[in-house]
Amino acid sequence: MILIQEEDFHVDVLYKSLLKANQTGAVAMFVGLVRQFSDLPKEACSFELEHYPGMTERNLQAIVDEANARWPLLDVCVVHRVGRLSVDDQIVFVGVSASHRSEAFQACDFIMDYLKSRAAFWKKESEGSESRWVEANTNDEKSLERWSK
């Protein structure tokens, strides 16, 4: 399941959607939050996330397909929020179910690394009346190198 939405999500509901009767041995999940990115009070900071409908979903599906090709997964759930978000809001959920924990952990980590670097989202941070688009992070790019080995 891949969802792009403005609404918040419920981790417990998403977790339950990953369970496959008598098959699931492990579920690995990651929940990303909007973090404080300024010295201003968090109420003065916001975050806007834009995407290109259709293209972004295909982009995320390609990442999930690659994870499924690398590991024997039972299910994958990716939920990414768009729109205006505030500090401490949930922004992304990645959940993976597998028969064994190793595959679930690795696939969840892989998907998150690729989401941070390759997913078609554009981010803008606002501090009071000032806004700026967020540039690509070199640390995120370095994280991808371990998956090409």
Side-chain angles (χ1 to χ4, degrees), residues 101-126:
R101 72 175 187 267
S102 178
E103 291 90 358
F105 277 130
Q106 289 178 58
C108 190
D109 198 20
F110 170 89
I111 292 168
M112 229 11 260
D113 278 349
Y114 274 80
L115 279 175
K116 289 283 288 175
S117 302
R118 298 292 187 260
F121 291 102
W122 294 271
K123 303 169 190 172
K124 183 168 51 171
E125 295 175 345
S126 298

Side-chain angles (χ1 to χ4, degrees), residues 5-132:
Q5 62 191 42
E6 289 189 19
E7 304 82 28
D8 198 5
F9 51 83
H10 299 281
V11 174
D12 58 332
V13 172
L14 297 172
Y15 166 72
K16 289 176 185 170
S17 77
L18 291 165
L19 301 177
K20 303 298 176 202
N22 300 321
Q23 296 175 12
T24 302
V27 175
M29 298 181 297
F30 174 84
V31 177
L33 307 173
V34 177
R35 68 179 173 268
Q36 183 75 23
F37 51 84
S38 168
D39 292 333
L40 293 176
K42 70 180 188 177
E43 296 78 24
C45 300
S46 66
F47 187 85
E48 289 181 58
L49 202 62
E50 296 181 7
H51 78 296
Y52 185 47
M55 181 179 86
T56 305
E57 289 86 350
R58 285 190 302 276
N59 186 242
L60 296 179
Q61 187 62 57
I63 294 167
V64 169
D65 290 346
E66 177 66 23
N68 276 305
R70 288 175 179 243
W71 297 280
L73 307 177
L74 298 173
D75 204 358
V76 175
C77 177
V78 176
V79 179
H80 210 298
R81 294 181 66 195
V82 293
R84 190 176 190 93
L85 300 168
S86 299
V87 174
D88 298 330
D89 283 349
Q90 297 181 134
I91 188 171
V92 63
F93 173 91
V94 174
V96 176
S97 63
S99 295
H100 304 283
R101 72 175 187 267
S102 178
E103 291 90 358
F105 277 130
Q106 289 178 58
C108 190
D109 198 20
F110 170 89
I111 292 168
M112 229 11 260
D113 278 349
Y114 274 80
L115 279 175
K116 289 283 288 175
S117 302
R118 298 292 187 260
F121 291 102
W122 294 271
K123 303 169 190 172
K124 183 168 51 171
E125 295 175 345
S126 298
E127 302 174 49
S129 61
E130 296 182 25
S131 296
R132 69 179 168 282

Side-chain angles (χ1 to χ4, degrees), residues 127-145:
E127 302 174 49
S129 61
E130 296 182 25
S131 296
R132 69 179 168 282
W133 291 101
V134 177
E135 299 292 324
N137 185 323
T138 56
N139 289 333
D140 293 336
E141 288 294 323
K142 288 180 183 178
S143 292
L144 294 181
E145 291 175 11

